[in-house]
């Protein structure tokens, strides 16, 4: 979701930063408690990997392809907190090194993709996997694509209501929920199928050994 | 049959990797490509394989220019990919099928050939990987992966084999096997290496990439290997102090580092 | 210190640019930032334009199309939002070209170690990824079926994960060998 800066109001991104900061503090504590001394290198290597993995192409019918997010895979294999940390770092580097992605969108994307997406993926996986392993993996990949999209669509769609001039003109993102939800959700529900398929294949390959 | 005409390659960031490379591989020729690390050997093979488009210059195969337009043509694409194959330096990059059998069968299945089973067993036998057919390629050792990759390429019955540091992941026994194997096949081969002690085993003609990314030698390999100054200029030999009892001296030499 | 100040200045500028709703002020801000960028201003300006063009066109046209359906559409909004977005992206690109990210993050020891490691790992991963792509292309004789392409993508991802796991262990061992970790942490260190 490459929304440039300038479409989110400070009333949105400042609280989002506060919320994300809490999440980062908690994630750091959780990870330190659970992971051994490989934590720092593992986080680093996975972040570099995610940076590149986001360019792994998700094949579409007809020879074209789009970027995969890999969040479903990360969430199922490494859990939501590590995924949250990795996604946040990737976004930070994209913003500061490449100048891409935007700093006001960063906390929203980090919370939506890193936390919302990975928690949804883990829940979906845990719910289905005991009975249907593959369905669980598929759900993880699909949810990891759709839930963040839905969250971002809601945040965007609320902008006209949050920030507008006295005569009702928007100041930031112009469209309401009735536009953002279908415009974002429908393509992602379809792309999610590919993400789900990739999650099934990758995680079952990884586990076969 | 495979020819590079004034080929230069520059990274998108602007760094020059190959400069005005010009040579031709004849049918059945065994050629060694030498060069220190970072001189562009791998890049040259990828350019020759039509994977990276040269920034300037052309690659031609059997009189036909290999460029994007030519490779978009399904018939030429298939013929070129089948007849000119590349063994990547890291065999892992080439393996993506769930089993060794599927890996070797990948080519013939794409071509829709019949008796795939027979072909796979034949080439698995040639390369000594029959016992591995049911295994997943990821779990194999470096040398085994290399053999599986070679089987997957040779099953296409190619005419030109481009091999990028094929001994880099091999133990001495596999290396010896590969040298013999390549000597016995009649395809055109171009093998890269920075291991001078092996270079003479892979062919009798050698191409040398210098550190300025130009082709600095093309000729009989013994002429090059016997020329200390050229070897030193290509950064393929080094000198350091040796002590023999009380005397200390230094001379150019190489080590068998692979 | 300079880099941390840059980061702080950038943060303040971003909050300011999103709190001011007068396009004249924003345009003035843009002039100031362009002046600060100096000779790089045309390059940054052009890159910034390309970066926002597509998204902003879609949004602007979509918004303007609202007029067809009888919605109240204001030109002021279009000017405001496009100026703001352009100013912000210009700011970000200027920062990215000026800042030394490692120094800017030096307030946290672990964060700067982490980012150093990440930056050193991105290039090998990118190279490996490029090789995976080329190898797949080299072995492709015809247009592959969707199923085959998924298998290839998945195998590439698995290979990248394997490499990541291996590298993480190697780096941890190397860090331990250089005395990075406290002694008590070595008890639960990974074996290989």
């Amino acid at each position: 979701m490459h929304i440039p800066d300038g479409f989110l109001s400070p009333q949105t991104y400042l609280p989002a930063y506060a919320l994300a900061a809490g999440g980062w503090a908690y994630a750091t504590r959780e990870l330190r408690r659970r992971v051994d001394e490989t934590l720092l290198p593992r986080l680093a290597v996975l972040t570099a990997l995610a940076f590149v993995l986001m360019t792994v192409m998700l094949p579409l019918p007809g020879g074209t392809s789009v970027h995969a997010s890999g969040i479903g895979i990360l969430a199922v294999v490494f859990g939501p907190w590590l995924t949250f940390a990795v996604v946040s770092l990737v976004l930070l580097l994209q913003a500061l090194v490449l100048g891409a992605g935007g700093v006001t969108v960063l906390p929203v994307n980090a919370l939506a993709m890193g936390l919302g997406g990975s928690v949804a993926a883990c829940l979906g996986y845990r719910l289905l996997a005991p009975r249907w392993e593959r369905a669980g993996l598929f759900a993880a990949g699909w949810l990891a694509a759709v839930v963040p999209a839905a969250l971002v669509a809601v945040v965007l769609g609320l902008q006209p209501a949050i920030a507008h001039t006295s005569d009702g003109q928007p100041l930031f993102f112009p469209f309401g929920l009735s536009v953002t939800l279908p415009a974002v959700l429908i393509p992602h529900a379809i792309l999610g199928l590919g993400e789900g398929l990739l999650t099934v294949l990758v995680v079952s390959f990884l586990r076969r050994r | 049959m495979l020819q590079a005409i004034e080929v230069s390659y520059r990274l998108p960031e602007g760094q020059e990797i190959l400069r005005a490379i010009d040579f031709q591989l004849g049918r059945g020729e065994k050629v060694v490509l030498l060069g220190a690390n970072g001189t562009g050997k791998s890049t040259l093979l990828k350019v020759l394989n039509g994977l990276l488009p040269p920034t300037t210059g052309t690659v031609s195969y059997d009189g036909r220019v290999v460029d994007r337009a030519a490779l978009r043509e399904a018939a030429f694409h298939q013929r070129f990919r089948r007849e000119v194959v590349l063994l990547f330096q890291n065999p892992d990059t080439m393996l993506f099928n769930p089993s060794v059998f599927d890996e070797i069968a990948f080519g013939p299945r794409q071509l829709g050939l019949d008796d795939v089973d027979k072909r796979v067993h034949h080439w698995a036998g040639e390369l000594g990987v029959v016992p591995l057919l049911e295994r997943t390629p990821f779990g194999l050792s470096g040398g085994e992966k290399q053999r599986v990759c070679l089987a997957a390429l040779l099953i296409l019955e190619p005419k030109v084999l481009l091999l990028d540091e094929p001994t880099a992941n091999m133990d001495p026994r596999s290396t010896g096997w590969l040298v013999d194997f390549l000597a016995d096949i009649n395809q055109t081969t171009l093998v890269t290496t920075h291991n001078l002690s092996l270079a003479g085993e892979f062919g009798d003609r050698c191409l040398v990439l210098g550190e300025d990314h130009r082709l600095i030698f093309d000729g009989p390999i013994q002429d090059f290997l016997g020329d200390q100054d050229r070897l030193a200029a290509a950064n393929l030999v080094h000198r350091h102090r040796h002590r023999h009892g009380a005397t200390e001296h230094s001379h150019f030499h190489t080590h068998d580092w692979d | 210190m300079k880099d941390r100040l840059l980061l702080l200045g950038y943060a303040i500028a971003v909050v300011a640019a999103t709190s001011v709703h007068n396009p004249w002020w924003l345009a003035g801000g843009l002039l100031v930032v362009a002046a600060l960028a100096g000779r790089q201003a045309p390059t940054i300006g052009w890159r910034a334009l390309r970066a926002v063009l597509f998204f902003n066109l879609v949004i602007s046209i979509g918004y303007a199309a609202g007029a067809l359906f009888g919605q109240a559409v204001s030109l002021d909004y279009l000017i405001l939002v496009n100026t703001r977005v352009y100013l912000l992206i210009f700011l970000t690109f200027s920062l990215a070209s000026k800042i030394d990210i490692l120094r800017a993050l030096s307030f946290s020891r672990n964060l700067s170690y982490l980012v150093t490691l990440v930056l050193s790992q991105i290039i090998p991963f990118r190279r490996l990824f490029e090789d995976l792509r080329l190898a797949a292309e080299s072995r492709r004789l015809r247009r592959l079926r969707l199923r085959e392409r998924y298998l290839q993508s998945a195998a590439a991802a698995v290979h990248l994960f394997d490499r990541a796991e291996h590298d993480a262990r190697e780096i941890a061992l190397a860090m331990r060998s250089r005395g990075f970790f406290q002694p008590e942490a070595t008890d639960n260190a990974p074996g290989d």
Side-chain angles (χ1 to χ4, degrees), chain A residues 45-65:
Chain A
V45 171
L46 283 175
T47 304
L49 173 66
F51 209 89
V52 178
L53 202 65
M54 288 188 183
T55 61
V56 168
M57 291 293 150
L58 210 58
L60 296 182
T64 53
S65 42

Side-chain angles (χ1 to χ4, degrees), chain B residues 64-98:
Chain B
R64 172 104 198 242
V65 172
V66 183
D67 58 7
R68 277 203 184 133
L71 288 172
R72 257 198 297 270
E73 227 175 83
F76 180 75
H77 176 266
Q78 186 167 102
R79 176 173 167 231
F80 182 73
R81 287 269 166 263
R82 194 177 174 179
E83 295 182 0
V84 182
V85 298
L86 168 60
L87 179 72
F88 280 65
Q89 181 170 357
N90 173 4
D92 283 309
T93 54
M94 303 184 66
L95 301 169
F96 44 74
N97 285 284

Side-chain angles (χ1 to χ4, degrees), chain C residues 63-117:
Chain C
Y63 174 79
L68 299 176
F69 304 100
Q71 277 163 14
V73 168
S74 100
L75 187 63
D76 289 348
Y77 166 74
L78 282 175
I79 295 170
L80 171 68
V81 83
N82 284 301
T83 317
R84 172 153 36 222
V85 169
Y86 190 70
L87 167 61
L88 285 164
I89 194 92
F90 199 108
L91 257 176
T92 308
F93 280 170
S94 315
L95 178 82
S97 73
K98 283 213 163 63
I99 202 170
D100 178 338
I101 180 176
L102 292 174
R103 289 197 186 170
L105 298 178
S106 61
F107 57 85
S108 155
R109 199 179 74 117
N110 279 326
L111 191 58
S112 43
Y113 279 126
L114 190 58
V115 173
T116 311
L117 280 173

Side-chain angles (χ1 to χ4, degrees), chain C residues 11-172:
Chain C
I12 293 170
V14 167
V15 175
T18 49
S19 307
V20 171
H21 306 308
N22 179 334
W24 289 107
W25 280 99
L26 294 174
L30 188 58
L31 281 180
V32 172
V33 181
L36 287 175
R39 275 189 306 159
Q40 281 183 300
T43 335
I44 294 178
W46 175 238
R47 277 185 55 211
L49 185 65
R50 278 193 313 185
V52 297
L53 194 62
F54 178 73
F55 195 87
N56 274 40
L57 268 182
V58 170
I59 298 295
S60 300
I61 293 170
Y63 174 79
L68 299 176
F69 304 100
Q71 277 163 14
V73 168
S74 100
L75 187 63
D76 289 348
Y77 166 74
L78 282 175
I79 295 170
L80 171 68
V81 83
N82 284 301
T83 317
R84 172 153 36 222
V85 169
Y86 190 70
L87 167 61
L88 285 164
I89 194 92
F90 199 108
L91 257 176
T92 308
F93 280 170
S94 315
L95 178 82
S97 73
K98 283 213 163 63
I99 202 170
D100 178 338
I101 180 176
L102 292 174
R103 289 197 186 170
L105 298 178
S106 61
F107 57 85
S108 155
R109 199 179 74 117
N110 279 326
L111 191 58
S112 43
Y113 279 126
L114 190 58
V115 173
T116 311
L117 280 173
V118 175
L119 294 177
S120 72
Q121 292 296 308
I122 284 177
I123 293 165
F125 269 117
R126 200 170 268 164
R127 199 167 290 160
L128 177 61
F129 178 73
E130 181 65 7
D131 261 6
L132 287 162
R133 193 180 68 75
L134 291 178
E137 178 59 23
S138 173
R139 293 187 60 193
R140 186 177 70 82
L141 299 166
R142 57 161 166 75
R143 216 170 153 150
L144 295 184
R145 284 186 257 286
L146 197 59
R147 183 178 166 279
E148 294 170 315
R149 289 166 60 215
Y150 264 97
L151 275 177
Q152 268 180 2
S153 276
V158 169
H159 184 58
L160 289 163
F161 269 106
D162 273 355
R163 174 67 74 91
E165 182 61 29
H166 173 261
D167 288 356
R169 282 168 184 274
E170 281 295 298
I171 294 170

